[in-house]
Amino acid sequence: MAATQRTCYACERTFDRPRARCDCGEPLWLPIQPLAEWPPDPRVSGSIWRYADALPVAQPPGDLEPGGTPLWRTPSLDAYAGARVWCKDEGRNPTGSFKDRGSAVGVAAALEAGYDRVGTVSHGNMALSTAACAAAVGIDCTVLVPADIASDRLSAIARFEPEIIRVRGDYGRLYHDALERGRERDIAFLNSDVPRRVAGQKTLALELLEAGPDLDAIVLPVSSGGNASAVWKALLEVRAAGLLQDSALPRLYLVQAAACDPIARAFRENETIVKALSEADETIAYSIANADPPSGARALAAVRDIGGVVVSVDDDAILAAQTRLSQNAGIRVEPASATTLAALRKLTARGEIEPAERVACVLTGRGYGEGGAEPETTVVDRSDLSTAL
Ligand SMILES: *Cc1c(COP(=O)(O)O)cnc(C)c1O
Ligand SMILES: [Zn+2]
């Protein structure tokens, strides 16, 4: 594949050189390439590089092997969810989220193209992931974070020693500013929905298909729409290869936090474009609180093509689902990921998903350990252990 070609999902224009957007305004991706080999050779590694066929770049030297995360069958969540639940535990990736899949491919491609610096715009997982992948192969990294970033996230990112620039002002616009500055300064910006990040993140859906419980539905939190685009593209490439009939492809359900749900609103209003929210409320699901999603329309197109809906869930439902995941299934997730179980409960209650259906909740990230008040615990002197125990 000519790695410089880009195509538009919406109007099908093709460009020979990378550029930020199509003339129609929509984001571009690498051309749809039918999968050549399925399933991959069982002897090949369990990381993202298992799907080398579907990736635009070869594995570089260095410790860059995300992916291969477990898909747990979690019957202990079935009653709460109202369907048969599988949990895709993306918190098991090296820096704790699926972003490592896209960062690894983006960093590998930047190395191959001769860049000595990558960058990203993020207030959490993507910054952490990009900085870690850059460190793993010895390339520099710049991250642009909002000036008011939480200190636990800032110190987690700083551990990989990227250049950190805290930016005051419109965070949504920063996505576009960074891509432009990156071209001027020769920094490969790996923002949320750039073609190579999308390419790497396709491996999440390929793993779900390969694991083979014949899923009826995938439930995925959505923010920028980059990851929803990746899942869609993977399904399109499987479909284009004639590997699975349309009826065998899982439906795609996207979830937002009710406090900041521009894509879910557009879906409810039957729109094909997503209007940026001028005012969004705070939510505990901070990783998915993008008021102006750059791939929002593409996420909508994905759901309409594959079948499914976009829903939003409120913070109380998210917290309750997060508790169920830890208490019933022993899985730690950040609130953004708990939205999937909350959404599944809502969708089964609405009859959108049937009790016998097999559903994968994509638990996108493990989080930083924050959230919630300090639990009530007992402190005793060692000499009093016999009275306390
Ligand atoms: C980035 C992120 C998302 C949203 O992914 P997008 O590609 O921005 O839609 C969901 N959950 C977690 C934990 C994330 O870090
Ligand atoms: Zn277009």
Side-chain angles (χ1 to χ4, degrees), residues 8 10-13 22-26:
C8 174
C11 71
E12 291 178 5
R13 263 191 211 104
C22 182
D23 294 336
C24 77
E26 281 300 284

Side-chain angles (χ1 to χ4, degrees), residues 98-99 125 221-227 287-288 334 336-337 364-365:
F98 73 87
K99 298 283 196 324
N125 291 326
V222 58
S223 181
S224 69
N227 204 30
S287 288
I288 54 169
E334 62 173 274
S337 307
T364 45

